[in-house]
Amino acid sequence: MARLADFKVLTFDVYGTLIDWEGGMLTALEPLLGAENASSYTPKQTFDILHELESEQQAKTPEMQYSDLLTTIHPGIAEKLGLPKPSAEESKAFGDSVGKWPAFPDTVDALRRLAKHYKLVILSNVDRASFAGTNSGPLQGHPFDLIVTAQDVGSYKPDPRNFKYMLEKVKEAFDVDRDQVLQTAQSQFHDHHPAKAAGMKSSWIVRPGKIMGNREQQLYDWKFDTLGEMADALEAELSK
């Protein structure tokens, strides 16, 4: 059986895996959810609405930058929640919030430890400007060896084009084939299912209690609650 140490490249989802997507999103939605009747909706109901609108908009406008996409669907979230329509300024503030969403407590230390063994590659559904804000802020400027965003590809995960494009760029940059690339992510929907279809191995970072992207069929080759636990497992392998 393959070991974690056998891989040369980790390809990361960011929002949900390195960054607390759900916590950041709820904070960004607070101005809207603070309105009358919003308290009657659970986070899961809110995220289900968000996922529905986000997926529809991504399919409709795959070239749209993620910050603009969030701005676009913000009024629809309010409508489905039965809340007053937000102003254009409020919707733009929601879209511009991505770079402020917090990292999970274990993320930065785990990245530093994993970078001693792997090339670290970003495969994210956001745009370059949003990720740049995240990288310079919550991720404390941690360097990555390659960054691939939905803006670069012109489509959003789980579209297979995103994985094909990433694997081609990894081959060009590092001369590494897919059997030495490990997709590392929380979302079954956005990452593990399409990674499997692309012939890749994957490491599921569960982030217990998080609900976005979960599916009844769970696909993965390794499973850890946190990225820190994955770094622990790698170091244990290397110490033998």
Side-chain angles (χ1 to χ4, degrees), residues 42-54:
T42 66
K44 184 180 186 309
Q45 289 171 317
T46 302
F47 288 138
D48 284 346
I49 290 169
L50 180 59
H51 177 70
E52 175 191 347
L53 294 175
E54 185 180 80

Side-chain angles (χ1 to χ4, degrees), residues 62-75:
E63 75 290 345
M64 182 180 285
Q65 294 187 23
Y66 188 65
S67 57
D68 294 336
L69 185 144
L70 290 182
T71 298
T72 300
I73 67 171
H74 191 235

Side-chain angles (χ1 to χ4, degrees), residues 94-239:
F94 177 64
D96 290 344
S97 69
V98 178
K100 304 181 185 71
W101 299 348
F104 288 104
D106 63 290
T107 292
V108 174
D109 177 67
L111 288 172
R112 289 171 179 158
R113 294 157 62 197
L114 293 167
K116 296 175 184 177
H117 183 77
Y118 302 109
K119 297 291 187 183
L120 304 185
V121 173
I122 293 299
L123 180 62
S124 178
N125 264 356
V126 304
D127 53 274
R128 282 192 165 263
S130 294
F131 177 71
T134 293
N135 199 15
S136 63
L139 295 183
Q140 300 177 26
H142 184 86
F144 292 91
D145 298 287
L146 179 66
I147 297 169
V148 176
T149 69
Q151 181 182 7
D152 300 314
V153 185
S155 59
Y156 286 90
K157 297 181 297 180
D159 195 305
R161 288 177 292 178
N162 295 61
F163 292 84
K164 181 176 184 292
Y165 182 97
M166 176 272 292
L167 289 169
E168 289 172 351
K169 291 297 181 182
V170 165
K171 179 66 174 176
E172 289 174 12
F174 314 121
D175 195 26
V176 171
D177 295 318
R178 78 181 65 212
D179 61 347
Q180 292 183 309
V181 180
L182 186 63
Q183 182 67 13
T184 307
Q186 182 272 333
S187 176
Q188 289 286 327
F189 173 78
H190 297 94
D191 291 279
H192 293 279
H193 283 242
K196 178 76 169 179
M200 297 176 64
K201 301 290 188 183
S202 70
S203 177
W204 185 21
I205 309 302
V206 178
R207 299 298 182 191
K210 301 304 180 183
I211 56 179
M212 280 298 290
N214 290 343
R215 288 294 179 267
E216 281 191 24
Q217 185 185 20
Q218 298 171 352
L219 301 178
Y220 59 88
D221 298 281
W222 285 269
K223 178 181 178 181
F224 305 98
D225 281 351
T226 69
L227 194 65
E229 289 183 7
M230 181 177 172
D232 292 340
L234 171 68
E235 290 171 353
E237 284 186 5
L238 294 173
S239 69

Side-chain angles (χ1 to χ4, degrees), residues 4-64:
L4 289 170
D6 293 336
F7 294 87
K8 294 182 177 180
V9 174
L10 297 186
T11 51
F12 287 101
D13 167 64
V14 178
Y15 301 91
T17 306
L18 307 181
I19 296 295
D20 185 359
W21 186 96
E22 294 183 17
M25 186 67 78
L26 284 176
T27 298
L29 284 171
E30 277 180 0
L32 189 65
L33 299 178
E36 185 180 358
N37 297 327
S39 60
S40 62
Y41 288 87
T42 66
K44 184 180 186 309
Q45 289 171 317
T46 302
F47 288 138
D48 284 346
I49 290 169
L50 180 59
H51 177 70
E52 175 191 347
L53 294 175
E54 185 180 80
S55 297
E56 287 176 357
Q57 192 64 45
Q58 287 172 347
K60 188 185 304 182
T61 55
E63 75 290 345
M64 182 180 285

